[in-house]
Amino acid sequence: MAITPISEPSSSPAAASGAAPWQAGHAVWQLGFRPFYLLAAVFAAIGIPLWLASYAGLLPGGLQVGLGWHMHEMVFGFAVAVVVGFLYTAGRNWTGLPTPHGAPLMALAGLWLAGRVAMLCGPGLLPALVDWLFLPLAAWPLYQVLRRSGNTRNLFLVGLLALLALANGLFHAAELGWLPLSLFLPVQAAIFIIVLIESVIGARVIPMFTRNGAPGSTPVASPQRALIAVACMAAAAIAWLAGAPAWLTAPLAFCAAGVSLANLLAWQPQRTVRVPLLWILHLSYAWIGIGFALLGLASLGLLPASAALHALTVGSMAGLIIGMMTRTTLGHTGRPLRGGRAEAAMYWLIQLGALARLLAAAGPAALSMPLLLAAGACWSLAFGLYACVYAPYLWRARVDGREG
C-alpha cells in the first residue's frame, strides 16, 4: 500500500553479513519490511491455491481451509503483515527513532507465523488467542515511537491498528460462538479500515511520487478533497456494515467513488504509463473508486457484494501492496527506483487477477470456476514472482552499506 516516501537517516553500517538467519544481527531482522514482506509474499502465493483446492474439494481432511479461513487469512494474515512491515519502516523515517528490529522483530515475525499455523488447525480458543495477540503487540511499539517523537500526525494509524485488532477479536468471538455475528461483518470492516489507510496515505504520496518520477507531470494534491473522500468512504462503509437502506448506502458509496476518482484524475495518471513503479499505484488507487461504485450497485441489489469487495481487496489492496512492496524494497536496500520486466509482470498479473475475480463474481455462473482459477493463478504467480526476485534483496544487507 502507498506510504510516505522513506529516505532513511544516515546511520551506522548494517549488521555483519556473517550473522546466521536465526541470529538477531542478520540483515533480514534489521527493519520491519524485510521479514514481513517476505513472509506475506510467500503466504499469499500458497494461501490462494490452498483455498481454491479446498473450494474444489481437492484438499485432504485435517486442514481447516474453509471460507472463514480464506476471508480471515487474506486480511488478518497477509494484508496485516504488509501493513505492519510498512508502518515499522515508515515510522522510523517519520520519527528518526528505531522501530522493532533484531530480537523483538524476530519475536513478532514468529508470532505472526504461529498465528498462520494456528489458524490452519481450526477454530479454538488457543488458535484465536495466538492469532489475535499479533496486532496489539505489533501496534504498541509503533505507538511508543510516535508518542516519544511527538509525531501526532500519524497516531491515527495506531488507532486504525486498534480497530483492526477489535475486528479480529469479533471474528474469533463469532467463530467460537460467543457472539451471534456473521463472520463476514468483521472481515468486511477490516477491509474498509485498510482501504481507508490506503486512501489517506495514497493521497499524501502518490502525487509526490508522480511529480518526482514522471517527467512533465504537474499533479495537484488537494488535502480538502482527500479528507472529503475519506469521510465519504467511512460513511459508506458504516452504512454498509450497519445494513442501512439502499437509499442511504448507495448515494454515500457513489459519492465516495466520485471523489476518490476525482482525486486520481488530478494526479495525472496518464503521465505515468511508461513508469511501472508509478502506474501500478495509480491503477490500483482507481480500484478504490471502482470498488465503492460497485458497492453502491450491490446495495441496490444490482450486483453481488462479492464483486465490490474483491475490487477493493484484489484490485486496490493487493495492487497497492505489490506496488509499494517493490518500491520500498528497492529503496530500502539501496537499489535504484526502477521497475523492469519482473515488476511489470507482477503488476499486470495482479490487475488481470482482479478483473478475472470481478467477472467470476458478476459474470455467468458457468464461467465462475474457470475465472476463479485464473484469478488465483494470477495472484499466486504475482506474489511468487515477488518472493523469488526480491528474497535476495530482503535477505541481504543494503548494497550501500547503510543501516536498515
Side-chain angles (χ1 to χ4, degrees):
M1 80 180 39
I3 65 173
T4 297
I6 304 171
S7 70
E8 300 186 9
S10 296
S11 188
S12 59
S17 59
W22 55 86
Q23 295 177 318
H26 191 272
V28 77
W29 307 118
Q30 300 314 301
L31 200 52
F33 77 98
R34 290 178 175 270
F36 284 118
Y37 283 10
L38 184 56
L39 287 169
V42 172
F43 182 65
I46 64 177
I48 291 299
L50 268 178
W51 154 241
L52 288 174
S54 174
Y55 183 76
L58 302 176
L59 199 65
L63 295 180
Q64 303 295 317
V65 187
L67 179 59
W69 180 90
H70 168 64
M71 294 188 304
H72 179 276
E73 291 299 276
M74 288 303 102
V75 177
F76 294 109
F78 161 69
V80 159
V82 177
V83 169
V84 169
F86 145 66
L87 288 178
Y88 282 178
T89 306
R92 196 181 76 165
N93 180 65
W94 295 334
T95 65
L97 298 176
T99 52
H101 61 283
L105 185 57
M106 290 175 70
L108 284 167
L111 179 60
W112 178 89
L113 190 58
R116 309 292 59 79
V117 174
M119 291 301 295
L120 280 172
C121 296
L125 182 57
L126 182 59
L129 183 61
V130 171
D131 172 68
W132 181 82
L133 278 173
F134 174 73
L135 270 169
L137 292 179
W140 179 247
L142 181 66
Y143 167 74
Q144 289 181 307
V145 165
L146 294 175
R147 180 181 57 81
R148 279 170 32 215
S149 68
N151 191 298
T152 56
R153 182 191 186 202
N154 291 305
L155 274 174
F156 78 97
L157 292 165
V158 178
L160 292 177
L161 288 180
L163 287 177
L164 284 173
L166 174 61
N168 196 19
L170 291 173
F171 175 92
H172 287 299
E175 190 174 46
L176 292 169
W178 296 353
L179 285 178
L181 184 70
S182 166
L183 295 179
F184 288 92
L185 280 179
V187 173
Q188 290 178 9
I191 291 169
F192 288 127
I193 292 167
I194 294 174
V195 169
L196 288 177
I197 295 173
E198 294 170 2
S199 181
V200 171
I201 304 300
R204 288 185 189 178
V205 302
I206 294 176
M208 180 172 55
F209 288 163
T210 303
R211 187 178 301 110
N212 294 340
S217 64
T218 54
V220 177
S222 169
Q224 294 80 13
R225 189 168 54 231
L227 183 61
I228 292 170
V230 168
C232 290
M233 289 177 200
I238 291 169
W240 174 267
L241 294 170
W247 61 261
L248 176 60
T249 304
L252 287 172
F254 291 141
C255 179
V259 181
S260 176
L261 292 173
N263 264 334
L264 180 64
L265 289 175
W267 302 339
Q268 298 185 328
Q270 72 278 6
R271 297 282 189 176
T272 69
V273 293
R274 297 184 183 276
V275 188
L277 289 179
L278 290 177
W279 67 247
I280 182 60
L281 301 180
H282 285 263
L283 186 54
S284 300
Y285 193 91
W287 278 103
I288 297 178
I290 294 169
F292 274 96
L294 296 176
L295 193 73
L297 294 176
S299 71
L300 295 169
L302 300 176
L303 274 180
S306 176
L309 293 169
H310 281 94
L312 292 173
T313 52
V314 184
S316 73
M317 190 185 301
L320 286 167
I321 280 175
I322 198 81
M324 290 311 301
M325 282 171 69
T326 48
R327 185 183 189 94
T328 55
T329 301
L330 291 172
H332 278 276
T333 58
R335 291 170 170 82
L337 288 175
R338 288 197 300 268
R341 292 181 180 178
E343 287 77 17
M346 298 175 211
Y347 302 161
W348 279 118
L349 282 166
I350 288 294
Q351 297 304 315
L352 290 172
L355 183 59
R357 189 59 187 86
L358 177 59
L359 292 174
L367 295 178
S368 177
M369 194 62 193
L371 287 168
L372 278 176
L373 292 174
C378 288
W379 171 285
S380 293
L381 285 171
F383 286 104
L385 184 57
Y386 174 88
C388 291
V389 173
Y390 278 72
Y393 304 167
L394 297 165
W395 202 253
R396 298 170 186 159
R398 290 180 59 124
V399 295
D400 57 10
R402 295 172 64 188
E403 185 182 39

